[in-house]
């Protein structure tokens, strides 16, 4: 590959449109165009963004070194395997696939072909998360809440794979150990799939996380709170900001018990902020100027936990079996 990789996009829905717009103007690459299965949508995007469309996936792969895959989850495996088979690097929007068998097959093929796989767990690039990571040390409890109004996009899979998987990936990153025990509940409300779910995950480290995800909320919320010894982080993922509260080094914890006082009298408050840049990191990795931030193996690990959560919900709500289409 040259120092200016040719990168294209598969899928021009709302998220694909966003990726096309960014890649079109991103320095350090040559945008090779996009492919979209709906001709009318293809013409619309081509006209609005003034970019080249291809009539077939093969046509796009022929002129690309790497592709961003932004198609429905059910098509991730077929599109990614076709690209990898031809030696193309791939960026796959989350989740990496619908089953662990598909994920394993993709990763095995990628190793055989010597290509890179990055998974689109975009919250890893959230400014609040990037700023918080240096302060996270052996968290003991994490509370995560992700609420969104209903949208047909993503409703072909359970909310666990549509929304909660973002937080699952973050938890695995923040805690740094594997999930051990899982209990979960959820219900379908507007679709045959799970629309709201809650999971309690205990990790090998002893940390515990409580995760709630809903796609039938009247409000949007993406917040996560991290509790650790002598410290507490509160992150607003929607705003990309957060705060780190930690006990001041000049305070004796025993003195806090002597009289009631405002907590800010005992803690340092550190504002959290950092740059983001998901596609930029993929291009940097293609050019050999940076690591793959979310590897295929990490995407596979997040998928594994998500499927365990779905299976646990199916156990407590047998009527869901056969409708979620996803099994661990």
């Amino acid at each position: 590959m040259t120092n200016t990789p040719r990168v294209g996009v598969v899928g021009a829905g709302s998220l694909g449109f966003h990726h096309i717009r960014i890649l079109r103007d991103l320095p350090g690459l040559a945008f090779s165009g996009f492919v979209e299965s709906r001709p009318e949508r293809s013409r619309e995007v081509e006209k609005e963004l003034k970019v080249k469309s291809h009539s077939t996936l093969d046509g796009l792969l022929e002129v690309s070194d790497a592709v961003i895959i932004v198609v429905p989850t059910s098509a991730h495996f077929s599109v990614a395997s076709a690209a990898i088979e031809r030696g193309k690097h791939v960026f796959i929007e989350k989740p990496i696939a619908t089953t662990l068998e598909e994920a394993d097959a993709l990763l095995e093929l990628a190793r055989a072909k010597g290509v890179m796989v990055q998974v689109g767990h975009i919250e890893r690039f959230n400014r609040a998360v990037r700023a918080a990571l240096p302060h996270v040390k052996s968290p003991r409890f994490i509370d995560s809440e992700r609420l969104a109004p209903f949208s047909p996009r993503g409703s072909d899979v359970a909310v666990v794979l549509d929304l909660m998987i973002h937080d699952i990936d973050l938890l695995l990153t923040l805690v740094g150990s594997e999930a051990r025990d899982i209990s979960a509940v959820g219900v379908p409300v507007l679709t045959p799939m799970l629309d709201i779910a809650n999971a309690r995950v205990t990790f090998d480290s002893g940390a515990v996380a409580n995760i709630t995800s809903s796609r039938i909320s009247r409000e949007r919320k993406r917040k996560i709170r991290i509790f650790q010894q002598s410290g507490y982080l509160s992150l607003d993922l929607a705003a990309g900001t957060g705060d780190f509260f930690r006990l001041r080094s000049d305070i004796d914890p025993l003195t806090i018990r002597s009289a009631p006082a405002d907590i800010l009298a005992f803690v340092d408050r550190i504002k959290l902020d950092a740059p983001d840049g998901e596609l930029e990191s993929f291009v940097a990795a293609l050019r050999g100027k940076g690591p793959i931030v979310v590897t295929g193996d990490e995407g596979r690990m997040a998928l594994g936990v998500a499927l365990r959560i779905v299976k646990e919900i199916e156990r407590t709500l047998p009527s869901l079996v056969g409708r979620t289409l996803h099994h661990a």
Side-chain angles (χ1 to χ4, degrees):
M1 188 190 307
T2 67
N3 199 40
T4 307
R6 302 169 300 167
V7 183
V9 175
V10 184
S14 58
L15 186 56
F17 180 92
H18 175 67
H19 286 329
I20 293 167
R21 179 180 55 80
I22 292 175
L23 287 170
R24 179 195 61 181
D25 302 323
L26 198 62
L29 64 84
F31 181 59
S32 55
F34 73 97
V35 63
E36 163 59 45
S37 60
R38 298 165 295 171
E40 68 283 356
R41 176 61 175 171
S42 181
R43 290 190 294 269
E44 179 183 320
V45 173
E46 190 174 34
K47 180 179 180 181
E48 184 169 349
L49 295 181
K50 297 180 173 53
V51 291
K52 177 178 176 55
S53 67
H54 296 266
S55 57
T56 65
L57 175 61
D58 283 342
L60 176 63
L61 294 176
E62 184 67 31
V63 295
S64 301
D65 299 306
V67 288
I68 314 295
I69 298 172
V70 202
V71 296
T73 302
S74 57
H76 282 189
F77 178 76
S78 60
V79 173
S81 58
I84 294 171
E85 185 65 48
R86 294 188 57 172
K88 310 302 179 182
H89 305 288
V90 294
F91 175 105
I92 309 171
E93 271 302 339
K94 60 78 196 169
I96 185 173
T98 60
T99 68
L100 292 181
E101 291 78 12
E102 287 182 349
D104 289 338
L106 287 178
L107 296 177
E108 183 178 351
L109 182 60
R111 286 190 288 269
K113 295 294 182 178
V115 302
M116 293 187 298
V117 176
Q118 180 165 323
V119 183
H121 287 290
I122 192 170
E123 295 290 25
R124 289 272 202 104
F125 300 86
N126 189 290
R127 298 193 310 275
V129 172
R130 291 164 71 93
L133 280 173
H135 303 289
V136 175
K137 300 188 189 314
S138 303
R140 304 306 296 160
F141 177 69
I142 300 177
D143 183 64
S144 174
E145 192 174 22
R146 183 177 296 264
L147 311 177
F150 180 75
S151 169
R153 187 183 70 80
S155 61
D156 59 323
V157 296
V159 70
V160 178
L161 282 91
D162 178 26
L163 298 181
M164 186 181 283
I165 197 166
H166 283 300
D167 303 297
I168 292 169
D169 175 69
L170 282 184
L171 292 175
L172 291 168
T173 302
L174 294 167
V175 175
S177 71
E178 295 187 9
R180 186 181 69 213
D181 301 316
I182 293 175
S183 60
V185 293
V187 289
V189 179
L190 299 180
T191 77
M193 309 295 185
L194 291 168
D195 292 317
I196 183 168
N198 172 267
R200 182 178 177 88
V201 182
T202 302
F203 295 86
D204 286 340
S205 67
V208 174
N210 184 63
I211 328 168
T212 301
S213 293
S214 169
R215 59 186 177 201
I216 54 171
S217 174
R218 296 182 61 187
E219 60 176 332
R220 291 186 182 276
K221 183 185 291 187
R222 291 157 51 203
K223 293 191 174 182
I224 186 167
R225 296 181 296 165
I226 306 162
F227 300 87
Q228 57 194 35
Q229 189 169 357
S230 301
Y232 156 58
L233 297 95
S234 177
L235 311 182
D236 185 336
L237 303 183
T241 59
D243 294 286
F244 176 35
F245 299 93
R246 65 183 178 189
L247 185 66
R248 282 170 39 190
S249 58
D250 61 340
I251 294 293
D252 181 351
L254 294 178
T255 64
I256 300 176
R257 301 166 57 183
S258 62
D262 188 326
I263 190 174
L264 294 180
F266 303 117
V267 302
D268 291 322
R269 180 180 183 179
I270 302 171
K271 297 294 292 181
L272 302 175
D273 197 11
D276 49 18
E278 182 182 32
L279 295 183
E280 290 87 342
S281 80
F282 181 58
V283 173
L286 290 175
R287 299 176 65 191
K289 295 186 175 182
I292 302 173
V293 175
V294 186
T295 67
D297 287 323
E298 290 172 318
R300 193 258 187 210
M301 186 178 296
L303 175 64
V305 174
L307 292 176
R308 286 178 62 189
I309 291 172
V310 171
K311 189 172 183 178
E312 175 65 14
I313 295 173
E314 288 180 343
R315 185 184 67 79
T316 60
L317 195 63
S319 60
L320 273 178
V321 175
R323 287 205 282 169
T324 57
L325 306 179
H326 302 287
H327 300 278

